[in-house]
Amino acid sequence: MIDFKDKYVVVTGASSGIGAAIAQEFASRGARLMITGRNTARLEEVRERCQALGAAGVSTAVVDMTSNESIDAFAAALDSTPDCIVLNAG
C-alpha cells in the first residue's frame, strides 16, 4: 500500500460518485486534499467525510472543468504543487 500521509492530492469531480470515493480513500491514508466539483453543498459533505476519515486537511474549490477560465483560476489558486492529481471530472 502506498503511503500518502501528508501528500498533497488534488481530485477533480469529487463532489459525488467515483471522485468522492477516490477522495475518501486518499483521506483514509492521511493525504492533504484539494477536492473540486461544481456543487458547493456536495463538496462540503465530501470534505466533512474526508476530515472524519483522517485527512491531513481538506480544501474545496468550485471548478467547472468545461471552462478554460474556471480551470485557469483554479490552477492559479493552488497553494503548492500537488504530489498527485486525479483527473476524474467528466
Side-chain angles (χ1 to χ4, degrees), residues 13 17-18 20 22-23 27 40-41 73 75 85 87:
I18 293 170
I22 291 168
T40 304
I85 301 174
L87 299 174

Side-chain angles (χ1 to χ4, degrees), residues 43-87:
L43 276 175
E44 181 60 23
E45 291 171 7
V46 174
R47 185 189 66 76
E48 290 174 4
R49 286 196 304 266
C50 288
Q51 286 181 318
L53 287 167
V58 185
S59 55
T60 64
V62 176
V63 180
D64 180 354
M65 292 296 178
T66 66
S67 164
N68 288 338
E69 290 175 355
S70 184
I71 294 167
D72 290 344
F74 166 67
L78 289 174
D79 61 356
S80 62
T81 302
D83 295 295
C84 177
I85 301 174
V86 180
L87 299 174

